[in-house]
Amino acid sequence: MSAFYYRLAAPVGPALALAVLQTDETIEADFRRLFDPGTRLYVTRVPSAPSVTSETLAAMERELPAAATLLPRGLVFDAVGYGCTSASAEIGSARVAAAISKGVETRSVTEPLSALVAAARSLGISRIAFLSPYIEPVSARLRRALAEQGLETPVFGSFDEASEARVARIDGPSIIEAGKALAAQGGTEALFLSCTNLRTLDIIAPLEAATGLPVLSSNLVLAWHMAHLARIEGAVSGPGHLLDHRTRAA
């Protein structure tokens, strides 16, 4: 056997990580499209129930530290994102950050709730039309959490679905039709499409053209906020690039 000498290379660029629900079929593909291919993005999975209820969402808090420990050791992450909008409201942003920080070393933690609030503030908006796939108790908790952060949802609609597998298969035309109906009610400054498992990325531009409103989604704002926290210029592309342009101009 020949033994060879080697050198160690330093890590290149910021490191991001994503804690994805076991039941989520959408967010990883969206993030591969939203982030520049050179972005270091690591993914772990969080055990989650097939149905979305207040109880199953709250139960994920105890799973977060273990999921975070499965991320590569020896890295200090610039941002870790938790990919669940409704659980962020149920558990609370501070408790999500504390749970993830138990399992991994990171400079910041975010989730779609905090990301939406940050994006809305950067855009200078406070009233949104809110489209949810969730059942009423879950949607109501999320709307209360947004209201506590000064973000009103006077226009609201839902697909009233508890099954994560069915949420992931709600088609684009259905989302566009619902989004247009909500926007037509008036009195709002943007439209938000909630849930990381909802397939929204390809309909953001058509919905903006149809409604004349900025259209935000859970995955879009989460990717934007992670890049913002990690101070990665130009990392997010597609609709995320438009969001970045608007927030910097605001």
Side-chain angles (χ1 to χ4, degrees):
M1 184 193 80
S2 298
F4 296 99
Y5 172 79
Y6 63 88
R7 293 173 293 276
L8 296 178
V12 178
L16 305 178
L18 188 62
V20 179
L21 270 58
Q22 179 182 357
T23 52
D24 197 306
E25 303 176 35
T26 306
I27 190 171
E28 286 171 284
D30 281 0
F31 268 48
R32 281 195 293 270
R33 294 173 59 191
L34 284 168
F35 278 100
D36 183 277
T39 303
R40 289 194 296 155
L41 179 65
Y42 303 84
V43 178
T44 186
R45 286 270 172 173
V46 183
S48 58
S51 296
V52 180
T53 68
S54 297
E55 292 73 25
T56 60
L57 293 170
M60 273 190 281
E61 181 178 7
R62 63 175 176 265
E63 306 288 354
L64 287 174
T69 63
L70 297 178
L71 292 165
R73 297 286 188 174
L75 288 178
V76 178
F77 289 92
D78 294 275
V80 176
Y82 172 46
C84 188
T85 316
S86 51
S88 300
E90 195 68 44
I91 299 168
S93 298
R95 293 172 69 96
V96 166
I100 287 177
S101 296
K102 289 178 182 177
V104 68
E105 189 172 356
T106 180
R107 296 186 176 94
S108 55
V109 176
T110 187
E111 17 64 37
L113 176 63
S114 295
L116 173 59
V117 171
R121 288 174 179 168
S122 293
L123 290 168
I125 60 178
S126 60
R127 293 170 60 85
I128 62 172
F130 187 104
L131 178 60
S132 164
Y134 315 123
I135 58 175
E136 175 56 27
V138 173
S139 298
R141 180 68 190 93
L142 182 51
R143 295 175 71 196
R144 288 196 302 272
L146 292 172
E148 290 165 4
Q149 297 295 319
L151 194 54
E152 299 178 53
T153 56
V155 175
F156 169 73
S158 176
F159 295 115
D160 199 30
E161 180 56 63
S163 166
E164 283 279 18
R166 291 176 65 86
V167 167
R169 286 163 181 74
I170 296 173
D171 69 4
S174 299
I175 301 170
I176 289 174
E177 183 178 353
K180 288 167 62 176
L182 292 178
Q185 296 183 38
T188 57
E189 302 158 297
L191 172 64
F192 178 61
L193 312 174
S194 187
C195 186
T196 61
N197 209 8
L198 199 63
R199 297 181 180 181
T200 60
L201 198 56
D202 289 324
I203 64 169
I204 289 174
L207 256 179
E208 289 192 332
T211 65
L213 293 175
V215 177
L216 308 175
S217 72
S218 291
N219 292 348
L220 177 58
V221 296
L222 182 58
W224 168 82
H225 199 218
M226 287 173 65
H228 176 74
L229 291 170
R231 296 178 172 84
I232 309 175
E233 283 290 326
V236 179
S237 59
H241 174 70
L242 298 177
L243 177 59
D244 186 59
H245 173 74
R246 292 185 187 122
T247 53
R248 280 191 284 181

